[in-house]
Amino acid sequence: MKKLLSGITTMMLVIGLFTTGVQAKELNTQELKQMIEQTNKEIYELINEADDKGDALVISYEANKISEKQLNHKLDQIIGQLIDFTSNKTEKVIKEAAKNGVELEAQWIEVEIGGRTVLVDPLITGGF
């Protein structure tokens, strides 16, 4: 009987320790909101930076400093980097939120970069 009680007590202790460790890794709601806000801030900063670069390229093109081919190539690069960055950032935060039982989704918004309309995906909350 003592062995049985000892075994049950040991098993409960192990389960208790394991459960506590898992809970310690979970983000609380405030930390998750801060992560989302920081990610969105970074995304909007990159959008503004890409917009400024696109505008500068258009001005250079209009001043005959670069060709149309160069303009298109450089705009493609800027837009590609913007989309890659936002997609990677949102994916990481969405996965982290899912680990913590919160469902997030990306909402596509239109932004203009160098006269082109581009869809970018900052985060919105879905499960708070």
Side-chain angles (χ1 to χ4, degrees):
M1 186 67 162
K2 282 186 177 184
K3 285 185 178 185
L4 178 62
L5 286 174
S6 177
I8 291 173
T9 304
T10 303
M11 188 169 47
M12 301 233 352
L13 180 62
V14 169
I15 291 171
L17 289 173
F18 177 72
T19 306
T20 303
V22 170
Q23 289 173 349
K25 292 180 182 179
E26 291 181 0
L27 295 175
N28 66 38
T29 302
Q30 186 61 33
E31 289 172 326
L32 193 54
K33 284 182 181 179
Q34 288 174 347
M35 183 185 296
I36 293 165
E37 288 172 9
Q38 179 62 33
T39 300
N40 282 339
K41 181 182 175 189
E42 291 173 12
I43 289 170
Y44 284 113
E45 287 173 356
L46 191 64
I47 290 169
N48 288 332
E49 184 181 313
D51 185 37
D52 291 343
K53 288 179 180 178
D55 289 346
L57 285 171
V58 170
I59 290 169
S60 293
Y61 170 71
E62 290 172 351
N64 293 321
K65 293 181 179 179
I66 61 173
S67 68
E68 184 174 353
K69 183 177 180 178
Q70 290 172 315
L71 170 68
N72 289 327
H73 177 70
K74 290 181 179 184
L75 283 174
D76 288 344
Q77 287 179 325
I78 292 168
I79 291 167
Q81 289 172 350
L82 175 64
I83 291 170
D84 288 346
F85 178 85
T86 58
S87 296
N88 289 334
K89 286 298 243 183
T90 55
E91 184 179 327
K92 286 179 185 176
V93 175
I94 288 170
K95 284 182 180 179
E96 187 64 36
K99 287 180 190 176
N100 292 280
V102 177
E103 185 178 331
L104 297 179
E105 60 183 30
Q107 179 182 15
W108 295 89
I109 61 169
E110 289 184 355
V111 296
E112 191 170 309
I113 308 295
R116 294 185 188 177
T117 302
V118 180
L119 293 174
V120 181
D121 56 346
L123 301 173
I124 63 167
T125 58
F128 281 105

